[in-house]
Amino acid sequence: IAIGILAVIAVGAAVWRLGTSGMTTYRWSQHFERGKALLDDGSFAEAALELEHALAAMRAIGPDHADYDTTRTLLADAYRAVGRYEDAQPLFMESLQRARLAHGSPSAELAEQLFELGKLQEIQGFRDAAIGSYRQAIAMWQEVVGNEHPDLIPTLTHLGRALAAREDHREASQYLEWAIGLERRALGSDHPDLADLELTYAATLRALDKDELAEQFEEHAERIRPKN
């Protein structure tokens, strides 16, 4: 009899856990879908509130769930969009740590997280820290995909612009030239997406008194820029 009672209790506990887990998953799903839709719609403050509830539910489910990282990343994006940088930073740091543990170093995932951290640091005004994160990301991209892969372009561009803002124009021009070369190979020399990058590069050239070359890039950028 005692064994039978214990078996009933065990089955009841299992059913309870299953029901609780199912409710938590349902709650996550509702908040996540609403938050994602609000984020896509540009309602960032409302999205952050929904995604906070979604992440709380996901933490209860456990960090091994397939949607854990997605939920946390979307909440970090919502925080960043509304200027809640201090709330976003620990989420990006968690992403970095989880990428390091899951994929090892170097990896494309870790390079991407370093790039995202750099963008956040730059927004917060920590330009030197951002430059350090961008440098780490580029070094990792080089190990993973080499020097000629288009995945390098966003990080090269951000690093070049950050260095130019710090008035390190010579080094900035090197990274921007590298980015332009990769983007031309990926998209073609006259693609409209090149225009802003070429104008940024031209500004660094003018700061280095290379006015003739700067003018060539400015004229080309003006020619390929989309006409409204």
Side-chain angles (χ1 to χ4, degrees):
I1 295 173
I3 293 174
I5 293 172
L6 289 173
V8 169
I9 291 172
V11 170
V15 169
W16 179 83
R17 283 195 299 271
L18 184 60
T20 302
S21 173
M23 286 300 295
T24 303
T25 301
Y26 175 76
R27 190 169 68 251
W28 164 80
S29 176
Q30 294 297 298
H31 288 299
F32 178 80
E33 292 301 331
R34 283 197 294 265
K36 189 172 181 297
L38 287 163
L39 198 60
D40 291 341
D41 195 44
S43 302
F44 301 119
E46 294 89 344
L49 184 59
E50 291 291 343
L51 290 166
E52 283 173 347
H53 291 303
L55 185 59
M58 186 52 69
R59 289 196 192 281
I61 295 168
D64 293 332
H65 192 282
D67 292 306
Y68 181 88
D69 289 329
T70 303
T71 306
R72 188 195 58 253
T73 299
L74 287 182
L75 178 56
D77 288 341
Y79 281 157
R80 184 166 58 183
V82 294
R84 293 175 59 179
Y85 306 125
E86 290 185 3
D87 292 322
Q89 179 140 0
L91 298 179
F92 279 113
M93 293 303 293
E94 185 181 352
S95 295
L96 190 62
Q97 182 62 22
R98 284 175 62 83
R100 187 173 279 119
L101 290 172
H103 304 286
S105 181
S107 70
E109 291 78 10
L110 189 52
E112 185 63 33
Q113 292 303 326
L114 283 164
F115 171 57
E116 292 296 332
L117 178 61
K119 289 196 294 183
L120 181 64
Q121 290 167 328
E122 195 168 5
I123 290 170
Q124 289 177 288
F126 304 131
R127 185 180 295 131
D128 289 346
I131 287 171
S133 295
Y134 293 147
R135 289 189 196 280
Q136 290 181 63
I138 288 169
M140 197 161 293
W141 278 123
Q142 287 178 280
E143 288 190 65
V144 175
V145 298
N147 295 336
E148 305 298 325
H149 199 282
D151 282 350
L152 279 157
I153 295 170
T155 315
L156 290 170
T157 302
H158 276 75
L159 177 56
R161 287 173 173 161
L163 287 165
R166 202 173 66 177
E167 299 187 355
D168 292 339
H169 298 294
R170 189 170 304 281
E171 190 177 9
S173 69
Q174 294 168 0
Y175 286 108
L176 293 169
E177 183 179 10
W178 186 358
I180 288 171
L182 294 181
E183 191 142 3
R184 282 179 172 175
R185 281 194 286 276
L187 301 176
S189 297
D190 292 335
H191 196 283
D193 285 355
L194 272 162
D196 287 342
L197 183 53
E198 289 190 342
L199 288 174
T200 302
Y201 180 52
T204 65
L205 292 173
R206 287 202 179 277
L208 295 168
D209 296 323
K210 297 181 178 181
D211 294 331
E212 257 186 65
L213 186 57
E215 189 172 342
Q216 292 175 26
F217 278 93
E218 288 164 351
E219 289 175 355
H220 185 257
E222 185 59 33
R223 183 165 59 81
I224 65 174
R225 181 188 291 279
K227 303 297 188 289
N228 295 328

